[in-house]
Amino acid sequence: METKTLINEREYGYIGKEKESNIITMKKGQYVAGYSVGILYLDECWYPVLPGNVANLSTYDFPVRLKVVPNCNQERIHVGDPTLLDDIIKAAKEFEAEGARAICAACGFFGNFQDKVAAAVDIPVYLSSVVQVPWIKTGLKPSQKIGMLTADAHGITPNLFKSCGINDPNSVVVRDLGRLPEFSAIIESRGSFDNEKVRKEVVEAAVNMVNENPDIGAILLECSDLPPYAADIQRAVKLPVFDFITMIRWAHFATSQKPYYGFI
């Protein structure tokens, strides 16, 4: 029993001076340490991955790990292809075995599988930035809505909302970016784009959405490629902006608590 417990134990806790002489265990099969969040990402994408993007490691001031889901491309994930489920669960279980303490992903449409993947592993799962909707809504006035910028409005379906724990999709106003001239380079995997043109398109879309819907109280960026423009969007619309990085930071800090030192 003791050996089995040791094999399955996932170490939590900050290692500081107060722990120098303590015995520390390691989960068997965990060959990499010092991170908490494992991030699943798409296969076969081809476009610049900027700082701020979920898949750009310089985005974070803490370590994360990435793992590709084989053959999980944009076309399949955007429609929630059910045949992807086994491969996504397999990758999630690999992260779990390797010592991750939480699992996230690098595309909002992984949310189609949020409920099933969360049920398949024993660590927290937050696959889509969309899972933040209930929490964001709680902080707004009852009459206010959330403005969502998405790479593909056709993929924002009742199934995606349900899987992400959202019971009132009417609280979300969706604006599609996928057909914009420059942003579409991401959807079409064109290999390059003019970053300033993308920035302008995204900001203009956010401004227009808020102007047309004055009851919007916060912005949610569904797409994992949008966080590089979050600050520009916020400056323009003057509202709270939530995205994948706000979610991943939340998951990281919840699973990597450090002790506090200071004066009383």
Side-chain angles (χ1 to χ4, degrees):
M1 176 64 100
E2 184 177 348
T3 302
K4 183 177 180 181
T5 301
L6 187 63
I7 289 172
N8 293 326
E9 186 173 350
R10 179 177 286 100
E11 183 71 25
Y12 281 80
Y14 182 74
I15 307 301
K17 289 184 178 180
E18 77 287 353
K19 291 283 188 81
E20 281 181 353
S21 62
N22 286 13
I23 296 172
I24 302 167
T25 63
M26 179 67 87
K27 185 177 186 294
K28 188 173 183 180
Q30 178 181 350
Y31 305 111
V32 177
Y35 77 103
S36 63
V37 179
I39 300 172
L40 304 176
Y41 68 96
L42 298 180
D43 202 359
E44 301 177 10
C45 291
W46 184 38
Y47 53 82
V49 179
L50 305 181
N53 191 301
V54 175
N56 185 312
L57 295 181
S58 71
T59 297
Y60 309 97
D61 53 8
F62 50 84
V64 299
R65 287 187 67 203
L66 275 74
K67 185 185 293 288
V68 68
V69 179
N71 301 312
C72 181
N73 57 34
Q74 291 193 78
E75 291 76 14
R76 297 178 71 192
I77 198 76
H78 280 217
V79 299
D81 182 349
T83 63
L84 283 172
L85 179 61
D86 288 346
D87 286 338
I88 295 172
I89 288 178
K90 180 175 181 290
K93 287 185 173 181
E94 287 174 359
F95 262 144
E96 182 178 25
E98 293 163 4
R101 294 195 284 269
I103 299 172
C104 297
C107 176
F109 297 107
F110 272 101
N112 286 296
F113 308 96
Q114 166 65 36
D115 54 351
K116 294 180 176 61
V117 178
V121 297
D122 294 322
I123 55 177
V125 172
Y126 309 103
L127 294 184
S128 173
S129 59
V130 178
V131 304
Q132 297 172 102
V133 165
W135 184 48
I136 299 169
K137 180 61 178 168
T138 299
L140 302 181
K141 295 178 183 294
S143 60
Q144 288 183 305
K145 295 184 177 181
I146 299 165
M148 178 190 291
L149 296 180
T150 178
D152 184 358
H154 294 295
I156 305 298
T157 63
N159 178 70
L160 179 105
F161 280 128
K162 182 179 179 182
S163 179
C164 291
I166 299 161
N167 298 317
D168 182 19
N170 292 326
S171 65
V172 181
V173 176
V174 178
R175 180 61 59 101
D176 193 359
L177 304 176
R179 290 166 179 76
L180 296 176
E182 201 66 21
F183 186 87
S184 60
I186 294 172
I187 304 301
E188 297 171 3
S189 282
R190 297 204 297 256
S192 68
F193 55 71
D194 184 317
N195 191 39
E196 288 311 307
K197 288 183 179 179
V198 172
R199 189 188 313 276
K200 184 178 179 181
E201 289 178 347
V202 168
V203 171
E204 284 184 354
V207 169
N208 290 338
M209 178 174 63
V210 171
N211 287 341
E212 294 166 13
N213 300 274
D215 55 348
I216 287 176
I219 302 294
L220 173 63
L221 310 181
E222 168 276 321
C223 179
S224 62
D225 303 297
L226 286 175
Y229 314 107
D232 298 289
I233 292 169
Q234 185 164 72
R235 189 175 296 112
V237 300
K238 297 177 175 56
L239 290 172
V241 175
F242 298 84
D243 58 23
F244 260 102
I245 309 308
T246 60
M247 182 186 74
I248 292 170
R249 285 175 175 160
W250 175 75
H252 164 73
F253 287 115
T255 55
S256 302
Q257 289 282 359
K258 293 183 179 181
Y260 294 94
Y261 299 97
F263 295 100
I264 296 177

